[in-house]
Amino acid sequence: MAAEGKERVLQKSYWIEHSADLSVEAMMLDSKAADLDKEERPEVLSLLPPYEGKSVLELGAGIGRFTGELAKKAGQVLALDFIESVITKNEKINGHYKNVKFMCADVTSPDLHIAADSMDLIFSNWLLMYLSDKEVEYLVERMVKWLKVGGFIFFRESCFHQSGDCKRKNNPTHYREPRYYSKVFKECLLRDSSGNSFELSLVGCKYAIIWCLYNADLLDMAEKTTKEFVAKLDLKPGQKVLDVGCGIGGGDFFMAENFDVHVVGIDLSINMVSFALERAIGLNCSVEFEVADCTKKTYEDNTFNVIYSRDTILHIQDKPALFKSFYKWLKPGGKVLISDYCKSAGPPSPEFAAYIKQRGYDLHSVEAYSQMLRDAGFDKVIAEDHTDQFMEVLQRELNEVEKEKEEFIQDFSEEDYNDMVGGWNAKLVRSSSGEQRWGLFIAKKN
């Protein structure tokens, strides 16, 4: 059996196993997925081009998270998935929409027949990352043929570089740069003989693009920093960790895999938590993620052994109250580790003050930050100034982005490039002058 065929068998076996109870929680592999879904669905749908009264093909429709929503506006919807029990559940949920047809088929199968020039919109959410490069290229060629003139292809994928993930059970996932998909579409369209013209757009990918600009050296540096900080926590198997501002979960996967701890990651960003949940698919380690505000979230006293936060608390205005919550949530002997933006003592310059106000930051000197932790009840507070390390990372990121300048401008604009590079250069200037600092804080509860 070819490598692609073996991988596809693994994919199907995995999803048959994890779709046994046919719930949103099972399909998204998270106990709080229903709440996340309510937040995420409107956001994704808001990005779609107009499709009122149009024909829509939904690839990887699953149990119908989007099928019913699409049916409310579309003229016709064809919902397709390769797991029979899943598409049957979708039909049970959304079969009352008379404009929806349901099909059990594999998008990579040559036996899948859809009429050429029949679809106004082709929609998929987290599908292509489960296909090999050859399968993506094959599917893209077919999608272009299925699409009407003036139609749209919309697909949403996680496009960051996978690094430091826990070991997967049987679910190989392909993380790619957004530019990979742009390249595949362009090559496919060059081979297309219809004479039609096409416009390509990477919508909402700026964050992903920045991640993709990391080369191996920068990934090594990011992992090195995580390893360096986590090593200070003295983690033990079975302990429970809270990550405040977990982002896409890189540090959480690292801790769970290497120290056999259970990690709870919370973040305000629906997109970041969605990415983290998707990365967790098929992983053999103990992590969970939730969209939550750490200033409003409550946990029972003495719940966690460690609270961990990287460059997130700068957004919190009432840090003393948050640190008191951290103290209560920690078990006796527990530790908190925080890295965060800081400033020099005294009032900031007018330029830096404007930057802080525009970003909504609440910055303090390293010494003042340390005192707030002591006032919350922590003892043995260690406060370290890591500004030199911060500047090194910034400079290397800047160097890598500058290498990709022309491609970045092609994907976005010169204005976008100048805004991003200008912001990083301004941070370097402020850090070099001593005005902007980067602190690392470790505190222990009695």
Side-chain angles (χ1 to χ4, degrees), residues 236-274:
K236 299 289 191 300
Q239 290 185 331
K240 193 168 185 179
V241 179
L242 174 65
D243 183 0
V244 176
C246 63
I248 60 174
D252 302 335
F253 296 123
F254 173 78
M255 287 186 281
E257 180 186 20
N258 290 280
F259 297 93
D260 194 22
V261 295
H262 177 78
V263 185
V264 178
I266 62 174
D267 201 288
L268 278 173
S269 169
I270 297 170
N271 275 333
M272 293 300 100
V273 172
S274 297

Side-chain angles (χ1 to χ4, degrees), residues 7 9 40 61 108 134 139 144 160 188 204 209 214 217 251 271 275 286 302 324 336 349 353-354 387 397 400 435:
E7 184 173 304
V9 169
E40 181 191 51
T108 68
K134 288 184 179 179
L139 179 58
V144 169
F160 48 82
C188 172
I209 284 284
Y214 284 163
D217 289 341
N271 275 333
F275 284 143
S286 185
N302 307 319
K324 288 176 182 177
V336 60
S349 66
T387 306
E397 287 180 344
E400 292 307 311
E435 187 167 42

Side-chain angles (χ1 to χ4, degrees), residues 30 115 313 330:
D30 184 76
I313 296 175
L330 279 172

Side-chain angles (χ1 to χ4, degrees), residues 154-204:
F154 177 96
F155 58 97
R156 178 173 178 255
E157 299 293 333
S158 295
C159 293
F160 48 82
H161 185 105
Q162 181 183 1
S163 176
D165 281 359
C166 311
K167 296 177 181 177
R168 296 181 178 270
K169 296 176 183 176
N170 59 356
N171 186 35
T173 307
H174 302 276
Y175 296 84
R176 302 176 174 103
E177 294 188 11
R179 293 192 185 111
Y180 164 82
Y181 294 111
S182 177
K183 178 175 178 288
V184 168
F185 272 90
K186 286 178 181 177
E187 290 178 350
C188 172
L189 298 176
L190 287 173
R191 294 193 297 270
D192 184 74
S193 58
S194 66
N196 296 325
S197 61
F198 296 83
E199 181 180 347
L200 296 172
S201 177
L202 296 175
V203 179

Side-chain angles (χ1 to χ4, degrees), residues 67-85:
T67 305
E69 298 292 342
L70 294 169
K72 291 175 183 178
K73 294 183 179 180
Q76 295 290 327
V77 176
L78 175 57
L80 184 150
D81 200 280
F82 76 146
I83 303 296
E84 187 172 359
S85 61

Side-chain angles (χ1 to χ4, degrees), residues 300-307 325-332 334-336 378 443-445:
E300 292 184 5
D301 293 357
N302 307 319
T303 296
F304 299 100
N305 301 96
V306 167
I307 296 177
S325 294
F326 284 179
Y327 188 86
K328 290 192 299 182
W329 297 343
L330 279 172
K331 295 180 179 181
K335 289 183 180 180
V336 60
F378 291 98
K444 187 174 180 179
K445 177 177 178 177

Side-chain angles (χ1 to χ4, degrees), residues 247-376:
I248 60 174
D252 302 335
F253 296 123
F254 173 78
M255 287 186 281
E257 180 186 20
N258 290 280
F259 297 93
D260 194 22
V261 295
H262 177 78
V263 185
V264 178
I266 62 174
D267 201 288
L268 278 173
S269 169
I270 297 170
N271 275 333
M272 293 300 100
V273 172
S274 297
F275 284 143
L277 286 169
E278 183 277 319
R279 293 180 81 186
I281 293 173
L283 300 187
N284 189 22
C285 60
S286 185
V287 291
E288 60 180 284
F289 299 100
E290 180 182 358
V291 177
D293 183 340
C294 63
T295 66
K296 299 176 182 177
K297 184 70 179 177
T298 58
Y299 294 101
E300 292 184 5
D301 293 357
N302 307 319
T303 296
F304 299 100
N305 301 96
V306 167
I307 296 177
Y308 179 85
S309 181
R310 294 286 303 277
D311 302 345
T312 297
I313 296 175
L314 73 169
H315 297 281
I316 307 299
Q317 299 297 316
D318 192 353
K319 290 181 177 59
L322 180 64
F323 293 161
K324 288 176 182 177
S325 294
F326 284 179
Y327 188 86
K328 290 192 299 182
W329 297 343
L330 279 172
K331 295 180 179 181
K335 289 183 180 180
V336 60
L337 182 147
I338 300 167
S339 68
D340 215 351
Y341 284 19
C342 296
K343 68 179 186 66
S344 59
S349 66
E351 294 79 10
F352 193 27
Y355 168 80
I356 293 171
K357 181 179 180 180
Q358 186 266 331
R359 293 300 181 98
Y361 291 164
D362 176 65
L363 304 187
H364 301 268
S365 68
V366 173
E367 295 75 15
Y369 211 114
S370 174
Q371 187 59 51
M372 283 189 286
L373 287 165
R374 291 189 179 89
D375 292 343

